[in-house]
Amino acid sequence: MRFSATGAAVSASDAYTTLNDYHQTQRGAKTEYRNAFGDFGVMAGGDFRRNEYLNLTSALTSYRNSPTGATTAAGTIFGDDKTQEGVEAIYGEIKWNPVRDWTFTGNARYDHIKLDYSAKPVSGNGNVTMAESKSFSNTSFRVGANWTVTPQTF
């Protein structure tokens, strides 16, 4: 339960106290090549992105956490941060149809992801400038078989 700036209890479920101003910008390119060779089908592609996420959180209204506690003033900034994300990926798939009604598929993807996070010094983070970077890679793959059931199957 929150309390108003005067200490009065506020129990309304829609009495929001925090404003989250979030902006996301996505920039990228994706390309794919597809072709068939007899019983085989192939696909290869690339995915390249540079995304940015901006997040500003602040007090929407003045409030208290207890009837006699300190008042958080409307407009108090709790967080002002930015995340930049870079994604570089390549992937491919092979499909094989050796006999009627059966298709075998194998695919793989390699991703390299880089994240850069920064936060301005505001009261919500103890007035400390923050900056952190992390990068990692991931490889994933899948194999499968599909059997198509038709009236002629049985």
Side-chain angles (χ1 to χ4, degrees), residues 16-151:
Y16 300 108
T17 57
T18 306
L19 174 65
N20 188 14
D21 186 10
Y22 177 77
H23 296 276
Q24 180 177 2
T25 304
Q26 296 181 339
R27 296 178 188 93
K30 188 173 185 176
T31 184
E32 289 185 350
Y33 167 79
R34 296 172 186 260
N35 209 337
F37 306 97
D39 294 337
F40 288 92
V42 296
M43 184 268 296
D47 185 5
F48 308 96
R49 289 179 266 155
R50 298 292 179 264
N51 300 326
E52 182 177 69
Y53 310 96
L54 303 174
N55 195 34
L56 177 67
T57 54
S58 61
L60 184 61
T61 185
S62 295
Y63 67 91
R64 292 181 182 182
N65 289 323
S66 67
T68 58
T71 300
T72 300
T76 300
I77 297 175
F78 301 123
D80 187 359
D81 55 77
K82 173 172 69 172
T83 302
Q84 293 179 305
E85 173 190 50
V87 177
E88 297 161 354
I90 56 172
Y91 53 92
E93 180 174 275
I94 297 175
K95 287 191 174 193
W96 179 41
N97 185 243
V99 294
R100 189 177 138 235
D101 299 339
W102 281 97
T103 302
F104 299 94
T105 305
N107 61 32
R109 180 179 172 113
Y110 171 80
D111 286 275
H112 179 74
I113 300 168
K114 183 176 182 192
L115 300 170
D116 291 314
Y117 172 82
S118 63
K120 294 178 182 174
V122 296
S123 62
N125 67 11
N127 293 308
V128 176
T129 299
M130 290 189 240
E132 188 171 331
S133 293
K134 181 175 183 173
S135 63
F136 55 94
S137 299
N138 186 55
T139 303
S140 58
F141 62 92
R142 177 181 76 165
V143 295
N146 292 320
W147 179 46
T148 304
V149 178
T150 64

